[in-house]
Each structure stands twice: as C-alpha cells, then as structure tokens.
C-alpha cells in the first residue's frame, strides 16, 4: 500500500485529519499555479528532513525556503560527518556529569543526536572561511546561503560526503539556485565563528556576510515579482520562531510600510506546531490571528497541525509527492 493510501484510509479525525486536509490544500495550491514557501524551525536538518525535503525541491514542490542558521549549516554538517554522529536514545536520563563527558568529547547534543565538532563544524569552518576571506579581500558581499552554495557547487566537499547526496536538501537547493531566507543567521554556529574571525581580523568587513535587513529587502523584491492574484505564494511553516515569523511579515510590510497596492496576501497557510495557544504565543496562535496583522485573508486556506514536525512533515510531503 502506498503511503498516501495508508494515510487517507487511517487518518480521518483530529490532527490526523488536519494533516490530510493540509496536504491536499498544498497540492491544490500548486495545481492552481501557486508557489510555496517552506519555513524550517528547530533542528529539522539534524532530524534529517532532507530525505523528504530534497525530493520536494527536485520535483519543484518548493519555490523558496526560510530557515534558521542552524538548519542551513546542520544539513551540511550531516552531509559530511554523518558517520561520526552519535545517537543518545536515553537523552532524558543524562546526568550533568554525562553531559560534561559529551562536552569533553566535543559532541554537541541536539536532543537525541550528538554533532561532532571537529568532523562537522570545524571542517566546514575551514572551507567556508576561505570563501569569507576571498570575498572580503575582493570587496564582495554575499548572503549566508550563497556562501554555502559556493562551497557545495565547487565540489570541495564531495570527497567528504557520508550520506547519499540526494538526501541533502541544501545541495538540491544549490543546484536549482533556490532562493533562501536566513533570518537571524548570527544565531548559529557559523555565525559565531564569523564574528570571531571578524574580531581576530581574518575578515575585515563585517558586512562581507549580508544582513537580515537585506534578506527582508530581497524577500520583498522576490515576493513582488512572484506573487500575483493568478499565482499566489503559499506559506508552509514547520515549527515556530524566527524562520516563520520573519518572512510572513513581508506582506504587511509591503502594504503598510511601503503603501503598495495590489500585493496579494499569502495564498495558503499551514503550520505544524506543538506550541500551546497562550497569551502572546505567536507560535501557538491560531491562523485567524494573522488576519488582524494583514498577513492572511478571511478566505485564505488555513491549517494547523498540532503535532511533532519530525513526524508530520515527511508525511505531508509524501502526500504532496503522491508516494
């Protein structure tokens, strides 16, 4: 039985039904000529979402991505150091002493998965530092994702691949020159490393890596060019936080701050979230709240799946891919 057949037969109520509805809404949006933004919060790359997301990119089911700096870099960490990762199934039971032991072994824990500092983080730092310094010396400036595209497309890392490269979503995105928005990139391992190299003088101009404000300006231009009444842009949000909060605001910014008319609202909205609805919790807010901010319309298809994104997202993608 195909995954889609299984899901449609068994997933009939509550969050299970919302999953089906959201996936079918995703397909309908694309079938009607729409485009889709996917936003990645948390540590979805370390959760190996690339296995399904890379295929979504290959089949043109995603036209733009917004992600945290962590998700951007951790897909590449996984690509070159997967064999050195360690899984800790009993992570809830670790004592402070056991956590200290992981630190001393330079194993950075993300829930049940430890990322090896030397094999992953430092290996990428050494390669990307060359690009930072090269751009800096040439007086050039690039976005964080563009530096990753450079090192991936150069082939410098190919000898270090430890997973099937078709499961790297960032590599697939690089091949298609997919636009990526990375708000708050400073809050990432390589963001910290870049700051260190600027402080030490290896990189002279801090603006060699372009900023979040420039990302919003880039997104405003992209949205203006791609969102029409005939081809609206949808918003598929995995988790909460800045990866979703930042890009969704481009629409009210275009309307309210730039006073532009005829800018369509987002044409589809779905969020996978396990954040509870509470006072001031944006990640836990129901989609209708976004109407009041000028992000969604009364008739925008809206879905919220209250569940674990590591479980839900690959299933939604399977339906969209007709697997």
């Amino acid at each position: 039985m195909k995954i889609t057949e299984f899901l449609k037969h068994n997933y009939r109520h509550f969050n299970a039904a919302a999953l089906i509805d959201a996936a079918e809404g995703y397909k309908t949006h694309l079938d009607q000529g729409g485009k889709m933004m996917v936003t990645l919060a948390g540590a979805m790359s370390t959760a190996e979402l690339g296995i399904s997301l890379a295929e979504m990119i290959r089949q043109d089911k995603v036209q733009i991505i917004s992600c945290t700096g962590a998700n951007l870099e951790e897909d590449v960490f996984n690509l070159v150091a997967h064999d050195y990762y360690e899984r800790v199934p009993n992570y809830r039971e670790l004592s402070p002493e056991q956590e200290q032991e992981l630190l001393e072994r330079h194993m950075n824990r993300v829930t049940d998965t430890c990322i090896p500092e030397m094999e992953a983080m430092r290996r990428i730092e050494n390669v990307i530092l060359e690009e930072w310094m090269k751009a800096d010396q040439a007086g050039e400036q690039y976005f964080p994702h563009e530096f990753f595209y450079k090192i991936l497309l150069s082939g410098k890392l190919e000898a270090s691949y430890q997973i099937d490269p078709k499961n790297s979503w960032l590599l697939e995105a690089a091949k298609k020159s997919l636009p990526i928005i990375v708000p708050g990139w400073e809050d990432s391992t390589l963001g910290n490393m870049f700051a260190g190299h600027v402080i030490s003088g290896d990189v002279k101009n801090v603006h060699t890596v372009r900023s979040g404000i420039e990302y919003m300006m880039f997104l405003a231009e992209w949205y203006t060019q791609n969102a029409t009444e005939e081809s609206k842009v949808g918003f598929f949000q995995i988790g909460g936080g800045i990866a979703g909060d930042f890009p969704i605001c481009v629409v009210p910014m275009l309307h309210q701050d730039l006073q532009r008319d005829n800018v369509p609202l987002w044409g589809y909205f779905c969020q996978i979230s396990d954040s509870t609805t509470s006072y001031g919790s944006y990640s836990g807010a129901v989609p209708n709240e976004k109407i009041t901010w000028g992000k969604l319309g009364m008739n925008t298809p809206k879905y919220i799946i209250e569940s674990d994104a590591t479980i839900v997202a690959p299933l939604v993608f399977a339906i969209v891919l007709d697997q």
Side-chain angles (χ1 to χ4, degrees):
M1 179 181 289
K2 292 173 62 177
I3 298 172
T4 298
E5 292 173 356
F6 173 86
L7 292 173
K8 289 186 176 181
H9 181 71
N10 291 278
Y11 282 36
R12 303 187 182 196
H13 302 280
F14 317 141
N15 275 303
L19 184 156
I20 302 297
D21 293 342
E24 289 299 325
Y26 194 131
K27 293 179 68 175
T28 298
H29 177 77
L30 294 182
D31 290 343
Q32 293 176 344
K35 298 179 175 66
M36 190 66 76
M37 169 182 274
V38 170
T39 77
L40 307 177
M44 295 304 298
S45 290
T46 292
E48 299 192 68
L49 186 67
I51 295 170
S52 56
L53 181 57
E55 187 63 25
M56 290 282 284
I57 295 170
R58 271 191 293 274
Q59 294 195 26
D60 296 317
K61 307 298 186 184
V62 180
Q63 282 68 49
I64 184 170
I65 287 175
S66 173
C67 69
T68 58
N71 276 307
L72 186 75
E73 65 194 16
E74 288 178 16
D75 182 77
V76 184
F77 293 165
N78 182 61
L79 176 64
V80 303
H82 183 79
D83 293 349
Y84 296 97
Y85 278 52
E86 292 182 16
R87 186 161 175 265
V88 186
N90 65 326
Y91 67 93
R92 292 181 178 87
E93 303 164 12
L94 295 181
S95 67
E97 290 77 15
Q98 290 172 311
E99 303 278 21
Q100 179 67 27
E101 289 173 7
L102 291 174
L103 169 66
E104 292 169 0
R105 292 174 50 219
H106 302 283
M107 299 298 291
N108 299 267
R109 186 169 69 81
V110 180
T111 311
D112 72 345
T113 304
C114 292
I115 303 175
E117 178 183 335
M118 299 310 296
E119 290 79 8
M121 299 166 182
R122 297 302 171 185
R123 178 179 294 175
I124 298 303
E125 178 189 20
N126 291 336
V127 176
I128 208 166
L129 176 59
E130 295 179 11
E131 294 295 338
W132 289 340
M133 294 175 65
K134 180 180 176 182
D136 184 56
Q137 291 161 10
E140 298 171 348
Q141 300 174 356
Y142 299 98
F143 284 120
H145 76 278
E146 292 177 316
F147 279 107
F148 274 102
Y149 281 6
K150 286 176 180 292
I151 64 173
L152 287 170
L153 295 177
S154 72
K156 292 179 180 179
L157 296 174
E158 285 185 11
S160 300
Y161 289 175
Q162 295 188 351
I163 63 168
D164 189 329
K166 73 180 179 62
N167 292 331
S168 165
W169 71 262
L170 191 60
L171 180 58
E172 290 301 322
K175 291 176 182 177
K176 287 182 174 284
S177 296
L178 202 75
I180 299 182
I181 309 299
V182 192
W185 174 75
E186 300 87 348
D187 180 27
S188 67
T189 298
L190 286 176
N192 294 164
M193 290 175 177
F194 179 76
H197 286 292
V198 174
I199 292 169
S200 66
D202 297 324
V203 177
K204 308 301 181 186
N205 183 3
V206 70
H207 299 295
T208 297
V209 178
R210 298 176 68 182
S211 70
I213 295 299
E214 291 177 280
Y215 262 131
M216 180 57 81
M217 294 166 64
F218 170 82
L219 177 57
E221 181 65 22
W222 184 92
Y223 194 91
T224 300
Q225 292 178 355
N226 285 273
T228 66
E229 288 298 335
E230 295 74 32
S231 179
K232 293 184 177 180
V233 180
F235 199 94
F236 189 83
Q237 181 174 345
I238 299 176
I242 195 172
D245 301 355
F246 181 90
I248 202 170
C249 291
V250 72
V251 171
M253 188 268 282
L254 289 168
H255 285 156
Q256 299 166 20
D257 300 320
L258 290 173
Q259 296 292 301
R260 293 185 185 177
D261 298 324
N262 303 317
V263 176
L265 299 174
W266 295 97
Y268 162 100
F269 177 81
C270 175
Q271 181 180 8
I272 305 169
S273 175
D274 58 4
S275 177
T276 56
T277 302
S278 63
Y279 299 106
S281 169
Y282 183 86
S283 297
V286 296
N288 278 354
E289 183 177 293
K290 293 172 177 60
I291 295 173
T292 72
W293 291 88
K295 300 167 183 174
L296 305 179
M298 290 188 295
N299 299 318
T300 305
K302 309 174 191 70
Y303 310 92
I304 185 164
I305 310 167
E306 295 181 321
S307 188
D308 184 332
T310 63
I311 299 170
V312 170
L315 296 179
V316 172
F317 290 166
I319 295 174
V320 173
L321 293 167
D322 195 29
Q323 293 178 340

